[in-house]
Amino acid sequence: GENVEQHPSTLSVQEGDSAVIKCTYSDSASNYFPWYKQELGKRPQLIIDIRSNVGEKKDQRIAVTLNKTAKHFSLHITETQPEDSAVYFCAAGPSGNTGKLIFGQGTTLQVKP
Amino acid sequence: DTEVTQTPKHLVMGMTNKKSLKCEQHMGHRAMYWYKQKAKKPPELMFVYSYEKLSINESVPSRFSPECPNSSLLNLHLHALQPEDSALYLCASSQEEGPYSNQPQHFGDGTRLSIL
């Protein structure tokens, strides 16, 4: 079935460094790729998304890139801050003949002060 | 502020109890979702309602029963749950849902459910 692989599962960086999280999807029909940030005990919060008609999107310190040919997309966080520490999930959709999102397994990002 | 509101925030129930989780959104979204999430795992889709009709049931056990009374409300009725059903239950909504949809899903804060 449809699958999204996310790497790495954990990532530790020093404050001020950049962090990159990568995802690969299997369903070539997917055209929507959101990223969610989930802090401990809180809801998944949409932080950025990209549609397949663009290759890159940026919002302040966060950027997402998409390579449709290779079925890869990545989240880039620059100048990381301790408050960026959270679990990040990528997702891809629609999946099959439904509007389902397929989520990656998540990346736990720790930003050390 | 959360635009998808879920109640209660916490729920502890025995295996023989019947309870309901509630979700409300006032963004005019026509698709609403129930997800189950275990700690540090991705949300796992349970049900999707599109235009108040059940469009996806991910082979969820019948002890979970969804209901969509109107376009703003979504309920999840619980009966005879098992300890392994303890999890965070998240509601989400989006403008629409379907094979050509690429609309963002917005999550509520969830109900943390514990089964004794």
Side-chain angles (χ1 to χ4, degrees):
Chain A
E2 296 83 8
N3 184 49
V4 174
E5 291 190 6
Q6 182 172 346
H7 299 281
S9 56
T10 60
L11 180 58
S12 182
V13 299
Q14 288 294 135
E15 183 177 358
D17 287 351
S18 295
V20 180
I21 303 171
K22 299 182 179 182
C23 290
T24 304
Y25 61 99
S26 61
D27 189 345
S28 56
S30 294
N31 59 24
Y32 176 63
F33 308 92
W35 286 88
Y36 288 89
K37 173 185 179 182
Q38 189 172 27
E39 297 175 66
L40 193 62
K42 297 195 174 180
R43 64 186 172 97
Q45 184 176 10
L46 180 70
I47 55 171
I48 196 167
D49 57 9
I50 192 168
R51 292 176 174 80
S52 59
N53 56 343
V54 297
E56 184 173 359
K57 183 176 178 181
K58 193 172 180 182
D59 182 3
Q60 299 183 336
R61 297 185 297 108
I62 294 173
V64 57
T65 58
L66 172 65
N67 182 330
K68 280 218 76 179
T69 304
K71 292 193 272 188
H72 289 169
F73 59 112
S74 300
L75 179 71
H76 304 254
I77 306 174
T78 58
E79 299 171 24
T80 53
Q81 299 166 5
E83 51 266 37
D84 294 329
S85 297
V87 180
Y88 290 80
F89 294 102
C90 64
S95 173
N97 61 353
T98 74
K100 281 171 57 174
L101 285 178
I102 305 299
F103 284 85
Q105 288 300 303
T107 296
T108 300
L109 173 65
Q110 182 185 27
V111 180
K112 297 179 182 176
Chain B
D1 286 338
T2 305
E3 296 178 54
V4 178
T5 305
Q6 290 188 244
T7 56
K9 292 192 186 305
H10 301 276
L11 179 61
V12 179
M13 57 187 286
M15 289 190 283
T16 58
N17 292 157
K18 284 186 183 181
K19 296 285 184 184
S20 297
L21 308 185
K22 296 187 183 300
C23 175
E24 189 168 4
Q25 58 86 15
H26 292 289
M27 295 181 280
H29 289 174
R30 303 315 301 266
M32 297 185 77
Y33 309 75
W34 279 117
Y35 287 89
K36 173 183 177 181
Q37 188 180 31
K38 294 280 198 178
K40 295 205 173 180
K41 295 292 186 184
E44 183 183 331
L45 185 65
M46 300 173 71
F47 302 103
V48 182
Y49 274 82
S50 180
Y51 290 86
E52 300 162 50
K53 288 191 167 67
L54 183 64
S55 62
I56 298 177
N57 177 342
E58 291 287 274
S59 302
V60 179
S62 60
R63 58 185 184 267
F64 295 92
S65 175
E67 178 196 19
C68 188
N70 60 54
S71 60
S72 300
L73 293 174
L74 186 65
N75 298 323
L76 186 63
H77 303 298
L78 314 173
H79 174 53
L81 294 195
Q82 304 297 308
E84 60 265 27
D85 297 323
S86 297
L88 180 67
Y89 287 83
L90 292 161
C91 175
S93 71
S94 66
Q95 283 189 341
E96 59 184 10
E97 181 274 338
Y100 303 107
S101 169
N102 57 6
Q103 300 299 318
Q105 293 182 25
H106 299 274
F107 286 88
D109 287 331
T111 293
R112 191 160 298 282
L113 178 65
S114 298
I115 307 299
L116 300 179

